[in-house]
Amino acid sequence: MRLIGDGVLAQKAAPVERIDNSTIDLANDMLAAMRARNGIGLAAPQIGVSLRMVVIDVPFDEDEKHNGADDEAILASMPLLLVNPKIIALSGAFVERDEGCLSIPGLYLPVIRQDIVRVSFQDARGKNIEAACSGLLGRCTQHEVDHLDGILFVDRLSPETASGAAGRLNEVKRDAERRGFRIHCAGK
């Protein structure tokens, strides 16, 4: 697992040219790494592979409002592989919610994101899919696609939150540097 400060996390990831057995093997490595750290989403750059791939395994919460999104159908397909995902529209209300990141261990801070995101991607069979996601699924999708563009959730903090968290963030960055910007776990 790559940690904040590792150069691969700041790069724009390359598109996946072909979905084949190596793509599926990488997705399985990503799922293993994500689950080893108790995550709900992981982008390929987080395991050091600069490709536009994301895995998501968000639990279904019956109490969460889905605002007419396609969440129920998508959540029934978990875990999900998104190859070359693109956010094609954002809508709904702005919602502030704490986020964390496997590449920034132990830090949870409020981030404002839009509640509904429309995303297009290819699945593990290469089928083109377009879906609207809301709630935790929508937030996770936005967070992971950000990774593919070299953006970390701390880059999305309000100025006030960033200022208040600067000391804790610097501590996490120093720890990541001491670890060589990596945590070893299942997967990569």
Side-chain angles (χ1 to χ4, degrees), residues 3 24 37 44 46 55 62-63 67 75 83-84 86 95-96 105 117 121 135 139 141 144 146 149 152 160 167 183 188:
L3 300 176
I24 302 308
R37 308 300 298 172
Q46 291 180 272
V55 292
E62 291 184 17
D63 296 330
N67 302 319
L75 289 167
V83 178
N84 297 322
K86 292 180 194 164
V95 178
E96 184 175 66
V117 58
F121 61 94
R139 179 170 293 274
T141 301
E144 299 307 332
D146 271 354
D149 292 324
L152 299 176
E160 299 80 20
I183 294 177
K188 295 277 181 180

Side-chain angles (χ1 to χ4, degrees), residues 156-174:
R156 298 242 184 239
L157 298 177
S158 70
E160 299 80 20
T161 300
S163 176
R168 289 187 297 154
L169 182 57
N170 286 334
E171 186 178 309
V172 170
K173 287 178 179 178
R174 283 191 301 273

